């Protein structure tokens, strides 16, 4: 039987193990700051990482990482990022962004049996440190998006300060959100700073804009990073249909998820994205049927952090405040915007989504409440951070003042978004009378599912349905023929039926001449289930 001291030691060790296990489970908890310690034994590890970043960016140095007290051996470490690495390095700062692959050699070496890659950003062009986690919190309300929080980073026991810790978009992420590990993932922003196409004589092109150039992948491979060569076929198919036959776009694109991404980018003035002059920072996951599902990424310049227009001239503060909801509507360099929003139904649903974002995130003031909570959480660590890219005064003023950072001026988050909220609330495009949708119901009827809904102030109603979350929703027109098809036309009760292949997931959309609405309002991210 253990002696009392042995028993106390046992209980102490058990407590430490329990706390460590809990910390692993809460690795992306928004109210937590993680502790990550990297160990690299190479005497010139910094120079070697720079060399790999320049010459072989997919290669890594071998080291170890201790995360919240748990040590992982033989991990792969490299620098990450484009501007956040190159500009930071050129300005002689040491605080560079890291990518740590825990399962580099041991595939079972994961945090909480889930996460194999740790991505740490250095808050480049973000004196507040909170743009990434704040924006991702909003994104996750409406579409699949990464979890994000903060981490204290030590490299060989030297404190490198506070970093942003963002969940990787990888096969595990796809499995969690879509219930499958099949399909192909395309990164629409390759890490390689010096992008070189494998084919010569190509049209100019423009990053991951999805503009059509020609039929050869060799003219696109500098702009898109594919997980397997087979991914080129669905990617090229998407590009061709988007630009040549956009009326067929639903056959190759999750349109509603795309509309959410575009609306979120615009509403939150996230111009370091597809919507802006660089056209990057997103992924496309192609499911087994070849349909693309967009996934947003890298939000450190949301809320006006990137403000260079398509001529790369810095936009004025008022231009950020008054960024039009239909910005780039006529821009052929952004076909995902111009081709989709020229179709009346898509444009109306886009504006309905936009109005939901304004109502739920901006009008409520929740954005600023969340921002203040994040700032309070990290303030002590920011003050300890001697390697941070900006001063304590910049951090203090980051909500309410515009400040110069090299050739750029970073607008305050509240300074921008309070004015923008007021401007958007009065915008005529967001104040058109929408249909109302209520009293939805579903029931089995023989070999079919029958879905009904009460639609007021609507000309047309649509049932959007699917049988499996691995695929997009299909859309069919509903009939205004009364509940259960009882031929009582024009009573506002619309119905549609689909084959009963098992349980269905669905939402309702309605439109009139001016506007559209969906039920639930966060459709297609939220939906009704038959089970």
């Amino acid at each position: 039987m253990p002696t009392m001291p042995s028993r106390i030691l046992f209980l102490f060790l058990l407590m430490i193990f329990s706390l460590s296990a809990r910390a692993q489970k809460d690795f992306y908890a928004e109210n937590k700051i993680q502790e990550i310690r990297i160990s690299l034994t190479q005497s010139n590890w910094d120079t070697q990482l720079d060399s790999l970043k320049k010459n072989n960016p997919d290669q890594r140095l071998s080291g170890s990482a201790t995360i919240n007290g748990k040590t992982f051996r033989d991990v792969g470490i490299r620098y990450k990022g484009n501007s956040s690495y190159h500009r930071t390095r050129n300005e002689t700062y040491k605080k560079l962004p890291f990518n740590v692959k825990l399962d580099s050699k041991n595939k079972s070496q994961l945090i909480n049996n889930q996460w194999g890659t740790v991505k740490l950003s250095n808050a480049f062009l973000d004196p507040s440190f909170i743009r990434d986690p704040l924006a991702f919190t909003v994104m996750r309300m409406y579409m699949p998006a990464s979890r994000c929080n903060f981490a204290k980073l030590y490299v060989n026991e030297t404190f490198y300060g506070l970093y942003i810790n963002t969940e990787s978009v990888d096969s595990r992420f796809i499995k969690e959100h879509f219930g499958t590990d099949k399909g192909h993932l395309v990164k629409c922003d390759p890490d390689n700073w010096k992008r070189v196409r494998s084919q010569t004589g190509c049209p100019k092109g423009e990053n991951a804009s999805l503009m059509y150039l020609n039929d050869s992948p060799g003219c696109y491979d500098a702009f898109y990073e594919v997980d397997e060569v087979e991914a080129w076929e669905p990617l090229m198919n998407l590009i061709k249909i988007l630009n040549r036959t956009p009326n067929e776009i639903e056959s190759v694109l999750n349109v509603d998820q795309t509309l959410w991404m575009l609306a979120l980018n615009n509403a939150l003035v996230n111009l370091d994205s597809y919507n802006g002059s660089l056209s990057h920072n997103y992924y496309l996951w192609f499911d087994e049927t070849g349909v693309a599902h967009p996934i947003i990424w890298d939000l450190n310049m949301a809320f006006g952090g990137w403000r260079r227009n398509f001529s790369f001239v810095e936009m004025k503060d008022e231009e950020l405040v008054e960024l039009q909801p239909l910005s780039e509507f006529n821009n052929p360099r952004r076909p995902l915007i111009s081709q989709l929003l020229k179709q009346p139904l898509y444009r109306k649903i886009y504006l309905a989504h936009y109005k939901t974002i304004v109502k739920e995130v901006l009008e409520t003031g929740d954005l600023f409440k969340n921002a203040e909570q994040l700032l309070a959480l990290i303030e002590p660590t920011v003050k300890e951070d001697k390697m941070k890219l900006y001063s304590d005064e910049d951090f203090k003023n980051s909500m309410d003042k515009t400040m110069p950072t090299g050739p750029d001026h970073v607008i305050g988050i509240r300074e921008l978004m309070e004015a923008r909220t007021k401007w958007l609330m009065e915008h005529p495009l967001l104040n058109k009378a929408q249909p109302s949708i209520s009293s939805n119901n579903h029931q089995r009827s023989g070999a079919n599912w029958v879905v009904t809904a009460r639609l007021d102030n609507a000309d047309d109603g649509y049932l959007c349905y699917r049988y499996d979350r691995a695929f997009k929703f299909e859309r069919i027109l509903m009939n205004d023929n009364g509940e259960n098809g009882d031929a009582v036309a024009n009573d506002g009760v619309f119905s549609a039926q689909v084959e009963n292949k098992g349980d269905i997931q669905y939402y309702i959309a309605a439109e009139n001449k001016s506007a559209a609405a969906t039920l639930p309002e966060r459709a297609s991210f939220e939906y009704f289930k038959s089970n």
Side-chain angles (χ1 to χ4, degrees):
M1 186 172 182
T3 63
M4 186 59 70
S6 297
R7 192 178 291 173
I8 291 172
L9 178 61
F10 172 77
L11 292 173
F12 175 75
L13 292 174
L14 183 63
M15 180 183 72
I16 294 297
F17 176 79
S18 176
L19 290 173
S20 178
R22 190 175 197 181
Q24 306 308 317
K25 186 176 181 180
D26 296 340
F27 189 60
Y28 291 108
E30 293 180 37
N31 61 345
K32 306 264 186 201
I33 299 178
Q34 311 301 311
E35 182 184 276
I36 300 174
R37 294 177 178 268
I38 295 173
S39 178
L40 289 157
T41 59
Q42 301 85 351
S43 60
N44 61 341
W45 61 266
D46 194 9
T47 302
Q48 288 190 50
L49 287 179
D50 278 332
S51 178
L52 289 177
K53 179 66 177 173
K54 179 179 180 181
N55 301 307
N56 203 345
D58 292 329
Q59 295 299 308
R60 301 169 182 266
L61 287 186
S62 181
S64 65
T66 301
I67 298 176
N68 298 324
K70 181 178 179 180
T71 299
F72 299 83
R73 308 289 182 189
D74 296 321
V75 306
I77 300 168
R78 64 175 175 85
Y79 288 137
K80 78 175 196 74
N82 284 325
S83 298
S84 61
Y85 167 81
H86 289 277
R87 272 189 53 179
T88 302
R89 178 52 92 197
N90 289 340
E91 292 167 7
T92 72
Y93 290 101
K94 291 184 178 180
K95 187 168 184 170
L96 299 168
F98 284 87
N99 181 308
V100 182
K101 192 165 181 59
L102 304 175
D103 59 350
S104 180
K105 294 183 179 179
N106 181 356
K107 297 306 179 185
S108 64
Q109 190 165 250
L110 307 170
I111 300 173
N112 194 34
N113 295 318
Q114 295 183 71
W115 302 292
T117 302
V118 178
K119 293 188 174 182
L120 300 171
S121 302
N122 59 354
F124 174 70
L125 283 186
D126 181 17
S128 76
F129 280 82
I130 69 169
R131 277 177 160 84
D132 255 315
L134 183 63
F136 269 120
T137 297
V138 178
M139 302 296 171
R140 289 195 304 275
M141 295 170 62
Y142 305 106
M143 65 182 295
S146 298
R147 284 164 284 194
C148 184
N149 61 9
F150 305 96
K152 294 180 179 180
L153 178 65
Y154 297 79
V155 181
N156 291 345
E157 300 306 317
T158 298
F159 183 45
Y160 270 55
L162 188 70
Y163 276 72
I164 292 86
N165 175 38
T166 308
E167 181 183 22
S168 180
V169 176
D170 52 22
S171 59
R172 185 216 51 80
F173 178 97
I174 299 301
K175 177 75 171 178
E176 177 184 349
H177 289 279
F178 298 97
T180 180
D181 54 6
K182 298 179 180 179
H184 296 288
L185 190 62
V186 175
K187 185 177 183 182
C188 300
D189 185 24
D191 282 333
N192 190 357
W193 183 254
K194 295 182 177 179
R195 297 172 180 172
V196 179
R197 303 186 201 187
S198 62
Q199 184 170 320
T200 59
C202 301
K204 182 179 179 181
E206 185 172 328
N207 286 3
S209 65
L210 299 176
M211 292 172 60
Y212 177 77
L213 306 178
N214 58 27
D215 289 341
S216 173
C219 286
Y220 299 83
D221 57 7
F223 307 135
Y224 306 91
E225 182 179 303
V226 302
D227 60 354
E228 295 178 304
V229 68
E230 290 81 9
W232 280 111
E233 182 178 352
L235 176 59
M236 295 297 296
N237 195 34
L238 168 66
I239 291 172
K240 284 189 277 190
I241 288 177
L242 175 64
N243 290 275
R244 291 179 167 183
T245 55
N247 59 309
E248 300 173 8
I249 193 62
E250 289 189 30
S251 67
V252 292
L253 180 68
N254 184 332
V255 170
D256 201 59
Q257 192 165 309
T258 305
L259 296 177
W260 275 117
M261 182 181 77
L262 299 176
L264 287 159
N265 281 338
N266 186 291
L268 302 187
V269 198
N270 179 37
L271 299 181
D272 188 33
S273 68
Y274 183 89
N275 293 51
S277 54
L278 296 177
S279 183
H280 65 160
N281 283 336
Y282 70 105
Y283 288 81
L284 292 171
W285 172 65
F286 289 89
D287 65 30
E288 290 182 87
T289 67
V291 170
H293 305 252
I295 300 167
I296 207 158
W297 176 250
D298 198 353
L299 303 175
N300 68 299
M301 295 189 219
F303 310 111
W306 175 256
R307 55 193 301 174
R308 301 280 174 173
N309 63 20
F310 280 72
S311 299
F312 282 82
V313 175
E314 187 173 72
M315 298 169 67
K316 298 177 182 178
D317 286 1
E318 55 266 32
E319 291 179 280
L320 299 177
V321 170
E322 299 181 4
L323 179 70
Q324 290 291 337
L326 294 181
S327 177
E328 313 317 322
F329 179 78
N330 290 311
N331 188 349
R333 294 161 64 184
R334 295 295 176 271
L336 205 57
I337 299 174
S338 58
Q339 296 285 36
L340 290 184
L341 298 190
K342 284 177 183 176
Q343 298 193 38
L345 177 60
Y346 298 161
R347 183 170 65 252
K348 292 173 190 175
I349 292 177
Y350 165 87
L351 291 171
H353 292 342
Y354 204 118
K355 189 170 183 177
T356 297
I357 297 164
V358 172
K359 179 181 71 173
E360 294 186 343
V361 177
L362 303 182
E363 288 184 37
T364 60
D366 287 350
L367 181 75
F368 305 118
K369 294 174 188 174
N370 194 1
E372 294 295 346
Q373 290 172 353
L374 292 172
L375 291 169
L377 173 69
I378 65 175
E379 183 177 10
T381 308
V382 171
K383 289 181 177 179
E384 295 172 12
D385 185 351
K386 303 307 179 185
M387 290 193 187
K388 59 180 174 285
L389 306 184
Y390 310 102
S391 69
D392 288 338
E393 190 69 15
D394 289 340
F395 173 76
K396 179 181 176 181
N397 293 328
S398 59
M399 288 292 287
D400 299 303
K401 292 184 179 180
T402 296
M403 60 199 75
T405 60
D408 303 290
H409 293 80
V410 180
I411 193 169
I413 295 173
R414 182 163 37 223
E415 179 187 16
L416 168 65
M417 296 308 296
E418 276 191 347
R420 181 157 176 77
T421 299
K422 182 178 179 181
W423 183 78
L424 287 172
M425 288 171 62
E426 298 171 354
H427 199 288
L429 284 176
L430 304 179
N431 283 283
K432 296 184 177 183
Q434 295 175 277
S436 64
I437 310 172
S438 59
S439 304
N440 68 290
N441 181 50
H442 58 267
Q443 60 184 11
R444 288 185 175 92
S445 177
N448 296 315
W449 283 104
V450 177
V451 179
T452 60
R454 173 86 191 190
L455 309 182
D456 294 306
N457 190 31
D459 297 325
D460 290 303
Y462 304 92
L463 172 65
C464 304
Y465 71 97
R466 66 185 181 188
Y467 300 100
D468 191 308
R469 66 189 177 114
F471 306 107
K472 70 177 180 66
F473 287 86
E474 304 293 333
R475 176 169 53 87
I476 60 172
L477 190 66
M478 301 181 79
N479 299 309
D480 183 11
N481 58 2
E483 189 170 0
N484 298 322
D486 57 10
V488 181
N490 302 316
D491 63 350
V493 179
F494 286 66
S495 69
Q497 60 182 19
V498 297
E499 186 178 356
N500 181 2
K501 297 181 180 179
D503 291 318
I504 61 167
Q505 303 166 0
Y506 72 93
Y507 66 93
I508 309 295
E511 68 169 332
N512 56 33
K513 292 181 180 178
S514 301
T518 64
L519 185 73
E521 284 190 49
R522 297 181 185 181
S524 58
F525 189 57
E526 295 181 357
Y527 46 83
F528 300 105
K529 301 178 183 179
S530 62
N531 55 347

